[in-house]
Structure formats: structure tokens, C-alpha cells
Amino acid sequence: MWNRLVSKRPRNRLPIRALALAAALSLPMAAPAYAQSAGAVAQRVADHFSSVQSMAGSFVQFDAAGNQTEGKFYIERPGKIRFDYSGQPLRVIADGSQVAVNNRRMNTWDLYPLSKTPMKLLLDRRIDLSGANIQNVQEGPDLTTIVMGDKSVFGNSRITMMFDPNTNDLRQWTIRDAQGKDTTVMIYDVQEGVRIDPSVFVIPYNSIAMGQTRG
């Protein structure tokens, strides 16, 4: 997904594949034209999810090596997300323009354009189900799965979103990076339509430029 967003896990440090929430699961790619029934399912799920303007809750994340971390997350449309990791110095913030990965112990910030990551498809005001984006739709008894990507923008990266088939609520998602590595995050204790303080999504660009972000 983003270069350097994940590194081999050093002792006492979280592997930094932070914004990828994936179900360690590789789904086969479908032809660009999917069945009309699958398209109707995808549209129903997408419309419901797009209607949720904000949400907050807890998450469990698994990286490609199976390492597990957890914490709290916040989402606000369009384009804003935050992950705070429990017992770790890491946080991930997207402010609608950039994605920032901050290691407070090391006092480092890595910035990536949100528009160049598949996470943008999850955070858009409306999920775009055009042929350029949707790659696969599967409806099962436990999960409805939508795989999305756009090679012209994200290369081999893609996002797999999994929803409850009864409520159409988001349950987990997967981001596969350009190297084919998946990271999984499952969400729970989710509250929708919550009011989130705008400061939650602030990236301190000026302080980052001046190297004055420690603390």
C-alpha cells in the first residue's frame, strides 16, 4: 500500500502497516463485468455504508505475519480516519488529504497522499461502484464481500470490504499492498453517527516541518 508503512517487526515496536484492515483472505478476481444480481447487492451495501457519516469503536488488526494489535478508531466522511493503538506509540491519521503515520516514541511522521491509497475508496462521501473500481462481489450467509481497486491509480493495491449481510454494517476490511501483503482489521463496539471532535483528525504539518512534534 504505502512504502515503509510496514516494516519487519522490531522488538517493542508495532509493525507499521497501519491503515490496512484485512481478513487474511485472498479472493479471486472476477471479470470487470459482474452479474446484475451481484451489482444490486453491492449497490445496496454501498448506499447504506455511504449514508453513515461518522463512526467510532474498537479494532483488532492482523498484519501479514499474523501479529495482532488493537486500539480505537474514528471515521468521518469524507476522507478522515484515525487509529490509536493500545500500548503502542503509533497513531494513524487521515485528514481528507494526507495519511500520516506517527511514531511518538521515535518522533517520526510519514505522510502519504490519501488519493493514492485504496483507503480513499472506503472514505469517499459515496462509494463509487463504477467498472473501474469494483473487482469482485460475493454474497455469503455470514459476510457480503466487495473487492475494489483501480490499477490506474493504486496499481496492484486493493481494498476488500466485508459487511454484515443482514444489516449491511461494515465488519472488517482488507488492504492488499503493491507487494501482495494483506493486513486485517476487524471492528467492533461500533457507534454510528457520533460527533467527533475535529482535532482528532488534525495533522500538525507546521510542527512536523519544524521537527517540534515530540510530546
Side-chain angles (χ1 to χ4, degrees):
M1 182 172 63
W2 304 288
N3 292 335
R4 298 188 301 158
L5 217 58
V6 177
S7 60
K8 292 185 178 179
R9 188 178 191 179
R11 186 168 302 186
N12 296 326
R13 287 189 61 194
L14 176 72
I16 311 178
R17 183 183 302 281
L19 267 190
L21 306 179
L25 162 67
S26 179
L27 296 172
M29 290 301 186
Y34 51 92
Q36 184 175 359
S37 60
V41 169
Q43 191 62 62
R44 184 183 71 241
V45 171
D47 288 346
H48 171 79
F49 183 58
S50 297
S51 72
V52 179
Q53 295 302 301
S54 64
M55 63 172 62
S58 300
F59 72 87
V60 177
Q61 174 179 307
F62 300 89
D63 69 10
N67 298 307
Q68 177 178 331
T69 51
E70 59 186 33
K72 301 292 184 181
F73 78 93
Y74 309 86
I75 292 176
E76 185 174 277
R77 294 182 188 283
K80 297 177 181 178
I81 198 167
R82 178 169 176 147
F83 292 96
D84 290 322
Y85 291 83
S86 300
Q88 301 287 346
L90 286 195
R91 56 185 171 178
V92 176
I93 305 170
D95 64 357
S97 175
Q98 298 286 317
V99 181
V101 181
N102 172 220
N103 185 318
R104 287 171 288 181
R105 181 184 300 152
M106 304 296 293
N107 193 30
T108 58
W109 289 81
D110 293 317
L111 298 174
Y112 308 87
L114 177 62
S115 62
K116 299 300 182 182
T117 74
M119 183 60 67
K120 176 183 181 296
L121 298 173
L122 177 70
L123 298 176
D124 271 349
R125 190 177 299 279
R126 184 178 185 276
I127 296 179
D128 180 7
L129 295 182
S130 68
N133 288 332
I134 194 162
Q135 297 180 347
N136 192 296
V137 178
Q138 293 187 358
E139 188 175 23
D142 299 318
L143 288 171
T144 298
T145 302
I146 301 176
V147 183
M148 300 182 69
D150 185 341
K151 280 188 173 293
S152 67
V153 179
F154 312 123
N156 292 325
S157 299
R158 73 188 195 212
I159 185 167
T160 300
M161 293 176 283
M162 299 183 178
F163 301 85
D164 185 300
N166 298 312
T167 64
N168 295 328
D169 291 337
L170 180 66
R171 291 290 178 251
Q172 59 193 62
W173 70 86
T174 302
I175 291 181
R176 172 165 291 186
D177 67 16
Q179 287 73 46
K181 296 181 179 179
D182 292 343
T183 301
T184 301
V185 179
M186 296 177 287
I187 60 177
Y188 62 98
D189 291 341
V190 177
Q191 293 181 297
E192 297 181 352
V194 295
R195 184 172 182 177
I196 303 173
D197 191 311
S199 65
V200 167
F201 305 110
V202 170
I203 299 174
Y205 294 108
N206 290 337
S207 297
I208 292 171
M210 297 174 67
Q212 298 176 351
T213 60
R214 187 176 295 279

